[in-house]
Amino acid sequence: MIRIVAIVTLFMMFGACKNKNSQDSDAVVRVNDSYIYRKDLDKLVAPGTTAEDSLVIVNNYFNHWATQRLLLDVAAFNLSDEKKSEIQDLVDQFKTDLLTAAYLERMVQQSVDTVVSESDLRNFYNENKDKLVSNEVLVQLRYVNVLNENPKLASIKKYFLSNKKQDFKKLEDLSLQMKSYALNDSVWVNMNQIYGKLPFITSDNIKSYLSDGLFYEIKDAESTYMVKVNKVLDKNSISPFEYIKPTLIQTVMNNRKMELIKKIQKDILDDANKNNQYEIYK
């Protein structure tokens, strides 16, 4: 009710702008031959908005709309026919691009094969390996950060260093005892994800802390870090398949879409030639 009262009040304020002798008797604002109607305001103010805020919102909307319309009318009057024709060509081309892109997108969604098999990915990866270069250092490691006074610290270190499956399970069970941790050292991660977790590693000293098979322990005044490095892949190396797999899926899908679009375009042109809808005069 508050919203309605606010808008009705605004109607009264702008009553002088309304051409009551025209067929536009439902209009609330006029700029030359352009109008805003009551129905245009239905979704402008959200339910629950105060009368004061409603008035501000609608008033701002009217002012912005009026400014745009007045500028448009002035521009249409003052710009040359050549310039207006140039702009109209751009508008027509933009409309063409939007319509054709929307149609092609719909056709692609209906027809493209969205199943990307492991073999598809492997084939694409093997064929394009030289282009799939990492621009950052990649690493496989696990680490834990445990408070020094934690009574489970010794047990955590024992299980952390063990290669037995049952000890790894015990380590996982103690994860609530850790400030932070990452235990899966079979996953490749970007070094940018590591710097914040292991703050003693920087881009300048990275070689001291990262090498294949390295284990070390760092203790500060509050906690103890234990780090076990599995593998390190230097910058500008070929990205591992598993690390780049999500990108490969997206790339394969994009390639399929592009091939399908080319086919649709070719089929349309071939059909037009066949049906005498398209010909080039010599």
Side-chain angles (χ1 to χ4, degrees):
M1 180 60 72
I2 292 176
R3 175 188 172 207
I4 295 173
V5 169
I7 295 177
V8 169
T9 301
L10 197 58
F11 289 164
M12 296 173 64
M13 291 172 59
F14 283 86
C17 298
K18 183 176 170 183
N19 184 355
K20 294 184 178 180
N21 297 322
S22 74
Q23 60 183 358
D24 300 303
S25 60
D26 199 39
V28 290
V29 177
R30 178 183 68 83
V31 168
N32 294 327
D33 294 327
S34 299
Y35 297 85
I36 291 179
Y37 300 92
R38 285 184 176 87
K39 62 182 177 60
D40 299 326
L41 305 178
D42 288 345
K43 297 181 180 179
L44 187 60
V45 180
T49 306
T50 65
E52 183 180 356
D53 289 343
S54 298
L55 197 60
V56 171
I57 291 169
V58 178
N59 191 30
N60 288 341
Y61 173 72
F62 284 171
N63 288 337
H64 176 74
W65 175 84
T67 302
Q68 291 295 307
R69 295 307 308 181
L70 291 166
L71 282 172
L72 179 61
D73 290 346
V74 171
F77 180 79
N78 286 282
L79 290 175
S80 66
D81 290 342
E82 180 182 0
K83 187 62 178 178
K84 285 188 282 189
S85 177
E86 178 185 331
I87 292 172
Q88 187 59 53
D89 288 342
L90 291 173
V91 170
D92 292 342
Q93 185 59 54
F94 186 55
K95 180 180 178 181
T96 298
D97 292 343
L98 285 177
L99 288 172
T100 54
Y103 172 73
L104 288 171
E105 181 64 24
R106 189 182 74 174
M107 293 298 293
V108 166
Q109 289 177 351
Q110 291 176 348
S111 306
V112 72
D113 182 6
T114 57
V115 177
V116 182
S117 67
E118 190 79 4
S119 61
D120 289 336
L121 295 178
R122 289 284 181 184
N123 290 336
F124 183 84
Y125 178 78
N126 291 329
E127 291 169 4
N128 297 276
K129 263 186 179 180
D130 294 340
K131 304 173 187 176
L132 304 175
V133 175
S134 173
N135 57 5
E136 296 291 344
V137 175
L138 302 179
V139 61
Q140 292 177 326
L141 59 74
R142 56 174 164 164
Y143 83 92
V144 296
N145 181 15
V146 187
L147 291 174
N148 292 329
E149 66 268 19
N150 191 309
K152 299 290 185 179
L153 180 59
S155 298
I156 289 173
K157 181 175 182 179
K158 173 185 174 182
Y159 300 141
F160 184 83
L161 291 172
S162 175
N163 292 320
K164 297 178 180 179
K165 288 184 178 180
Q166 59 268 32
D167 286 343
F168 183 79
K169 179 62 172 62
K170 292 175 182 177
L171 183 65
E172 288 183 315
D173 293 340
L174 289 172
S175 60
L176 292 178
Q177 302 284 332
M178 309 168 190
K179 284 184 63 179
S180 63
Y181 64 92
L183 302 179
N184 189 351
D185 61 2
S186 64
V187 176
W188 289 100
V189 294
N190 189 305
M191 267 308 298
N192 289 328
Q193 298 173 258
I194 299 298
Y195 290 129
K197 303 294 184 181
L198 305 177
F200 47 85
I201 302 180
T202 68
S203 57
D204 295 327
N205 66 17
I206 189 172
K207 292 292 185 182
S208 301
Y209 290 101
L210 295 181
S211 62
D212 292 359
L214 180 67
F215 167 78
Y216 55 88
E217 184 176 318
I218 302 288
K219 180 177 291 189
D220 59 29
E222 183 182 69
S223 61
T224 296
Y225 292 88
M226 285 172 271
V227 182
K228 191 173 184 181
V229 182
N230 185 12
K231 294 180 182 178
V232 180
L233 199 60
D234 290 333
K235 186 177 179 179
N236 297 323
S237 300
I238 294 173
S239 299
F241 175 80
E242 290 299 332
Y243 177 77
I244 204 172
K245 188 174 180 179
T247 302
L248 294 177
I249 294 173
Q250 190 62 50
T251 303
V252 170
M253 284 299 303
N254 287 340
N255 288 347
R256 286 181 183 178
K257 290 179 180 179
M258 291 304 300
E259 288 301 316
L260 184 55
I261 288 173
K262 289 179 183 178
K263 183 179 183 305
I264 292 171
Q265 292 172 329
K266 181 178 183 303
D267 289 347
I268 286 176
L269 198 59
D270 289 345
D271 288 343
N273 280 318
K274 187 185 300 181
N275 297 323
N276 202 30
Q277 293 174 295
Y278 171 58
E279 57 182 318
I280 300 175
Y281 298 113
K282 298 181 179 178

